Amino acid sequence: MIINHDNGKCKSADIVLNYRLFGNEQTINGNEKTPVLFIHGLSYFSYDWLEFGSELCVDRLGCAMDMRGFGDSSESVDDDYSIPSMAEDIKNLLDHLGWEKVILVAHSMGARSASYFTRNNPEYVKGLVLVDWSPENAPAGSKRVATTVANMPDAFVDLKEVMKYFGTDPDSPDGQDKLERFKAYTKPVEAGDRITIKRSGFFKQQFIKQLESGNAPKRGVDLWEVVRAIQVPVLLLRGTRSDLFAAETLPKMLDSNALIQAQEIDAGHYIIGDNPVMSLESMSTFIQSLETK
C-alpha cells in the first residue's frame, strides 16, 4: 500500500537525515495535538512506519525518520553509530521540525536511542512507546539477528533475491503487497547491475566480529541506568513470541521504573507487522491518556 507523505531532509552533525511526514494536524482545547516521531529498528527503515503511523496519526502529525546509515539518510564517514550520536540526531530533527513536544514510538534498536534521548531531554517528550525492546537481548534472537546480518550478501542479483533472503516469497500475495516496500529498501550497487539494501555495511562488519569473538559490541552506555532515569510515561509492548525480548525480562523492566506500563501482544519481534490491530489499540489508548493529563 502506498501512503501519501512528504519526504524531507535535515542536517545533523555530518549526517543528512531523511524523514517522511504524514498525518492530520488537529487541535484539542485550542492546542495542537502532540505529534508522533517513529523510529525504526535494525532491519527496517522509515517506510515501514507509513501505513501503521498514518492509522495512528489520523488526528495529529506523524514523522518517521531514517536513522543515520539507514534508508535514505547518509552514512557516517567515521562510522559513528553510537547511541549518543543517534540520540542527538533525534534532537536535531525535532528542532528542524519545530516540534517542542513529541511522543516517541521506537522499535528495537531505535528504542535504545529513543530511551537515551528521553532520559537526557525529558522536556521534549510527552510519552515514550518502546516496541519489543529492553536493555537485555535474549540469546536466541541475538544469534538470529547477528547471523542474518553477518551472512547477508553484499549485493543481490535482483529484487526477488532480496525478498527471498528476508523470508518473503516475491510471487505470493504477501510478496506483491511488500513489493513497493522492498523497492524503497534497495539501491543500485556502485559498480555493476546488482542491488543492495539501504543499510551501512558497518553493521554487517560489527556482527561478523560478534560471531567470531562470541562477544556483543560494547555500547558505552548503561542502558538499565538509562531506563531507570526516564522521567516521562512509558508504554512497553512485548511480543509474546519475540525471540529478542525474553518473558523473564519484562518484570525487570517494570521494577526498574514506576512510570513504565506494559502490555504483551500476540506477535513476534515485529509487533506492528504481526499484530497491527492490537498495537494500534494499545498505542492509541496510551496517547489518549497522555493528552487528557
Side-chain angles (χ1 to χ4, degrees), residues 34-279:
T34 311
V36 181
L37 177 64
F38 298 87
I39 308 172
H40 62 82
L42 179 71
S43 297
Y44 306 90
F45 69 127
S46 60
Y47 187 98
D48 292 310
W49 284 112
L50 284 179
E51 185 173 353
F52 181 87
S54 295
E55 291 188 40
L56 187 66
C57 295
V58 293
D59 60 349
R60 66 192 67 240
L61 292 177
C63 176
M65 68 181 292
D66 283 325
M67 300 179 77
R68 57 172 59 203
F70 292 82
D72 293 316
S73 290
S74 62
E75 298 184 17
S76 170
V77 176
D78 301 322
D79 283 342
D80 179 6
Y81 296 101
S82 65
I83 294 171
S85 292
M86 286 183 156
E88 189 66 17
D89 291 341
I90 295 172
K91 182 178 185 298
N92 290 333
L93 175 56
L94 292 176
D95 288 343
H96 170 80
L97 294 171
W99 291 0
E100 297 179 356
K101 206 75 169 180
V102 71
I103 296 165
L104 294 179
V105 176
H107 177 228
S108 196
M109 180 193 72
R112 295 195 313 232
S113 302
S115 295
Y116 188 88
F117 172 79
T118 301
R119 190 276 304 268
N120 289 356
N121 304 274
E123 69 279 8
Y124 277 83
V125 185
K126 192 161 194 172
L128 172 64
V129 181
L130 301 175
V131 184
D132 210 64
W133 177 82
S134 82
E136 292 180 15
N137 284 336
S142 293
K143 184 176 182 181
R144 172 183 60 80
V145 172
T147 302
T148 301
V149 177
N151 292 336
M152 191 192 79
D154 291 329
F156 296 87
V157 173
D158 55 25
L159 201 60
K160 286 189 173 184
E161 190 178 32
V162 177
M163 296 174 75
K164 288 177 182 177
Y165 186 80
F166 288 100
T168 298
D169 179 358
D171 297 318
S172 68
D174 179 55
Q176 291 303 305
D177 286 344
K178 293 178 178 176
L179 184 62
E180 291 300 323
R181 185 264 178 188
F182 278 98
K183 285 181 180 178
Y185 192 38
T186 52
K187 62 181 179 181
V189 175
E190 289 183 7
D193 57 357
R194 298 196 167 202
I195 60 175
T196 190
I197 67 167
K198 295 177 178 178
R199 179 174 63 202
S200 169
F202 166 85
F203 297 95
K204 177 176 179 175
Q205 295 306 314
Q206 186 181 59
F207 283 115
I208 289 173
K209 292 176 183 176
Q210 177 177 329
L211 291 174
E212 290 175 346
S213 67
N215 298 315
K218 296 188 183 303
R219 303 294 178 204
V221 172
D222 183 344
L223 289 169
W224 277 112
E225 186 280 325
V226 169
V227 171
R228 286 192 291 269
I230 290 174
Q231 301 171 41
V232 305
V234 178
L235 172 64
L236 174 63
L237 301 181
R238 176 185 174 269
T240 55
R241 294 178 275 112
S242 173
D243 62 355
L244 269 168
F245 191 156
E248 55 267 26
T249 307
L250 184 56
K252 292 176 65 176
M253 284 290 283
L254 291 171
D255 290 342
S256 70
N257 191 320
L259 291 171
I260 297 176
Q261 58 179 284
Q263 181 175 348
E264 292 188 288
I265 290 178
D266 180 18
H269 178 58
Y270 187 43
I271 294 178
I272 68 159
D274 293 344
N275 198 333
V277 174
M278 287 300 299
S279 300

